Amino acid sequence: MRADAMIDARGHKCPWGIVEMKKRFRTMAGGQVIELLSDDRVSAHEVPIWCELAGHTYLGSEEAGDYAKYYVRRRQD
Amino acid sequence: MPSTMSAAGRIEGDSSMADKLTILLTDDSLDRACVALNIAVSAAAADKEVTVFLTCWSLRLLKKPGLQWSGDHLLNRLINLLTPGGPERLPLSKFNFFGLGAWMMRRMMAAKRLQSIPEMLETARELGVQFQVCDKPADVFGLELDDLSVPLETFVGAPSFVREALQSQAVICL
């Protein structure tokens, strides 16, 4: 899946990844997509919940060996 | 009406209304401070308004690091001396063993690349988490605003917590 920005959160635990996405979204336009790389075992559960709470759109994930890629579309302000 | 947390940890109720969260922290332990800051940072990262109200022993979390001989009475000066400030000096609520348990916990947190308390505090402030410090324990301990590591305009009283709580969709007490 094509993304406008990538955050490598491998090795970090929740909520580091969503905090970094929150910071990055400040500089991005509505509709743009972040790719989050994470090997945190709760990311598959927590990233969609964070999207629900913050109003972003969770686009899904892709397995990539020992980690996964999560895709989130920024909400329109 | 405040939402309740179910066993699954999901906020029940109308999530679109869940815009404000208040956390009441009364304890000075490393573990509860971790929980409070973790929840505060996660909520703030989801664009929720978050207030952390600190009272009783939890003021130690925001005390400047190091030993302090501050206070207006021998007893509160002694308490300040015996409860050194700074997030790096917080004890564990259980298995502290005179600081050995807390030291081990910090080592394990670092090994797992978890954020330390100072890092979580910095992230919380960066994301706009508001800290309110109760005046009563500050007065009892003889602490002034200058004794805190977080810049605050004023100490507050219990009515401030009541207002924050009533304006919040969820209140968490630790």
Side-chain angles (χ1 to χ4, degrees):
Chain A
M1 193 177 295
R2 188 177 167 140
D4 302 290
M6 186 270 284
I7 292 172
D8 189 352
R10 287 176 291 181
H12 292 277
K13 299 288 186 184
C14 180
W16 193 90
I18 62 171
V19 169
E20 292 305 308
M21 284 199 285
K22 151 88 176 172
K23 292 178 184 174
R24 188 69 63 86
F25 270 158
R26 285 174 176 165
T27 64
M28 295 172 67
Q32 289 191 301
V33 173
I34 280 183
E35 177 186 66
L36 175 76
L37 312 186
S38 176
D39 54 5
D40 185 359
R41 59 187 176 190
V42 302
S43 289
H45 190 251
E46 300 304 323
V47 172
I49 290 178
W50 173 72
C51 292
E52 178 189 334
L53 288 171
H56 304 305
T57 304
Y58 179 64
L59 300 174
S61 65
E62 294 174 3
E63 290 298 321
D66 56 355
Y67 67 97
K69 301 174 181 178
Y70 301 90
Y71 296 90
V72 178
R73 175 173 287 130
R74 189 192 190 282
R75 68 166 185 259
Q76 301 286 346
D77 284 329
Chain B
M1 185 175 179
S3 303
T4 55
M5 301 299 287
S6 70
R10 296 286 296 270
I11 295 175
E12 295 178 339
D14 184 354
S15 64
S16 66
M17 293 293 289
D19 293 320
K20 185 166 179 174
L21 173 70
T22 294
I23 299 171
L24 174 67
L25 184 61
T26 61
D27 190 83
D28 69 348
S29 67
L30 169 67
D31 31 315
R32 290 203 174 95
C34 272
V35 172
L37 291 173
N38 209 6
I39 292 172
V41 164
S42 296
D47 298 323
K48 306 307 174 190
E49 191 179 336
V50 183
T51 298
V52 180
F53 189 93
L54 298 106
T55 187
C56 299
W57 295 107
S58 69
L59 271 61
R60 192 173 174 187
L61 173 66
L62 297 187
K63 274 172 73 176
K64 283 180 179 170
L67 301 174
Q68 290 183 23
W69 184 246
S70 57
D72 54 5
H73 192 278
L74 177 63
L75 292 179
N76 57 26
R77 287 182 176 185
L78 273 174
I79 284 182
N80 275 323
L81 193 64
L82 295 171
T83 56
E88 293 293 350
R89 304 295 293 268
L90 300 180
L92 282 180
S93 64
K94 290 182 179 177
F95 302 109
N96 190 50
F97 295 119
F98 304 101
L100 178 63
W103 176 80
M104 290 170 60
M105 184 62 72
R106 289 190 182 89
R107 289 284 300 254
M108 289 189 290
M109 288 172 64
K112 294 287 184 181
R113 295 185 71 179
L114 298 179
Q115 277 197 308
S116 66
I117 296 275
E119 289 170 336
M120 281 194 276
L121 270 174
E122 187 180 335
T123 302
R125 291 180 59 194
E126 187 180 354
L127 296 182
V129 172
Q130 298 294 313
F131 290 92
Q132 293 189 346
V133 175
C134 188
D135 176 61
K136 273 188 179 177
D139 194 23
V140 169
F141 295 143
L143 295 174
E144 302 293 337
L145 290 171
D146 287 344
D147 297 320
L148 304 179
S149 58
V150 172
L152 298 176
E153 289 184 7
T154 180
F155 290 116
V156 299
S160 289
F161 170 73
V162 174
R163 184 179 65 178
E164 294 294 323
L166 290 175
Q167 290 175 345
S168 298
Q169 281 70 43
V171 179
I172 298 171
C173 301
L174 293 165

